[in-house]
Amino acid sequence: MTLKIISAEKILFEGEATSVTLPGEKGSFTVLPHHAALISTLVPGKIRYKFNDKESEVEVAGGIVDVDRDVISVCVY
Protein backbone atom coordinates (compact mmCIF):
# COMPACT_ATOMS: atom_id res chain seq x y z
CA MET A 1 0.00 0.00 0.00
CA THR A 2 1.16 3.52 -0.64
CA LEU A 3 1.01 5.77 2.43
CA LYS A 4 1.25 9.56 2.24
CA ILE A 5 1.19 11.59 5.46
CA ILE A 6 1.33 15.34 4.91
CA SER A 7 0.93 18.48 6.99
CA ALA A 8 0.71 22.10 5.89
CA GLU A 9 4.47 22.43 6.45
CA LYS A 10 5.95 19.23 5.01
CA ILE A 11 5.64 15.61 3.93
CA LEU A 12 5.96 13.48 7.06
CA PHE A 13 6.09 10.12 5.25
CA GLU A 14 5.65 8.86 1.71
CA GLY A 15 6.27 5.23 0.84
CA GLU A 16 5.04 1.67 0.95
CA ALA A 17 3.45 0.41 4.17
CA THR A 18 2.11 -3.00 5.19
CA SER A 19 -0.33 -1.69 7.82
CA VAL A 20 -1.48 1.68 9.16
CA THR A 21 -3.34 2.33 12.43
CA LEU A 22 -5.12 5.67 12.70
CA PRO A 23 -6.90 7.53 15.54
CA GLY A 24 -10.44 7.78 14.15
CA GLU A 25 -13.20 9.80 15.74
CA LYS A 26 -15.04 6.61 16.78
CA GLY A 27 -11.86 4.80 17.86
CA SER A 28 -8.61 3.72 16.30
CA PHE A 29 -8.71 1.51 13.21
CA THR A 30 -6.18 -0.36 11.10
CA VAL A 31 -5.93 -0.33 7.33
CA LEU A 32 -4.43 -3.41 5.64
CA PRO A 33 -3.85 -4.18 1.93
CA HIS A 34 -7.05 -4.31 -0.18
CA HIS A 35 -9.03 -2.38 2.45
CA ALA A 36 -12.43 -1.02 1.42
CA ALA A 37 -12.51 2.62 0.36
CA LEU A 38 -13.23 5.09 3.16
CA ILE A 39 -12.89 8.68 4.29
CA SER A 40 -12.61 9.52 8.00
CA THR A 41 -11.75 12.38 10.30
CA LEU A 42 -8.91 11.90 12.75
CA VAL A 43 -8.66 13.00 16.37
CA PRO A 44 -5.55 13.72 18.45
CA GLY A 45 -3.41 10.61 18.77
CA LYS A 46 -0.75 8.58 17.00
CA ILE A 47 -0.63 7.22 13.48
CA ARG A 48 1.31 3.96 13.61
CA TYR A 49 2.60 2.31 10.44
CA LYS A 50 4.77 -0.62 9.41
CA PHE A 51 7.15 -0.53 6.46
CA ASN A 52 10.25 -2.50 5.45
CA ASP A 53 10.06 -4.63 8.64
CA LYS A 54 10.15 -1.43 10.73
CA GLU A 55 7.52 0.39 12.76
CA SER A 56 7.11 4.13 13.14
CA GLU A 57 4.58 6.58 14.50
CA VAL A 58 3.56 10.21 14.09
CA GLU A 59 1.76 12.22 16.78
CA VAL A 60 -1.11 14.25 15.29
CA ALA A 61 -3.62 16.80 16.58
CA GLY A 62 -6.24 15.68 14.04
CA GLY A 63 -6.83 15.46 10.31
CA ILE A 64 -8.49 13.54 7.51
CA VAL A 65 -7.70 10.18 5.88
CA ASP A 66 -8.78 8.89 2.47
CA VAL A 67 -8.29 5.21 1.61
CA ASP A 68 -8.82 4.14 -1.99
CA ARG A 69 -7.29 1.32 -4.04
CA ASP A 70 -4.35 0.68 -1.70
CA VAL A 71 -3.48 4.39 -1.47
CA ILE A 72 -3.79 5.93 1.99
CA SER A 73 -3.67 9.74 1.93
CA VAL A 74 -3.51 11.44 5.32
CA CYS A 75 -3.63 15.20 5.86
CA VAL A 76 -2.79 16.11 9.45
CA TYR A 77 -2.41 19.14 11.66
Side-chain angles (χ1 to χ4, degrees), residues 28-76:
S28 68
F29 61 96
T30 301
V31 176
L32 298 170
H34 312 297
H35 196 284
L38 70 85
I39 296 175
S40 179
T41 55
L42 302 177
V43 297
K46 294 181 181 179
I47 298 173
R48 293 183 174 91
Y49 54 97
K50 295 180 184 179
F51 65 102
N52 296 334
D53 296 327
K54 299 176 189 174
E55 293 185 32
S56 190
E57 63 184 29
V58 175
E59 185 83 30
V60 299
I64 307 173
V65 61
D66 174 57
V67 178
D68 191 27
R69 299 182 186 173
D70 280 345
V71 177
I72 305 163
S73 302
V74 187
C75 182
V76 299

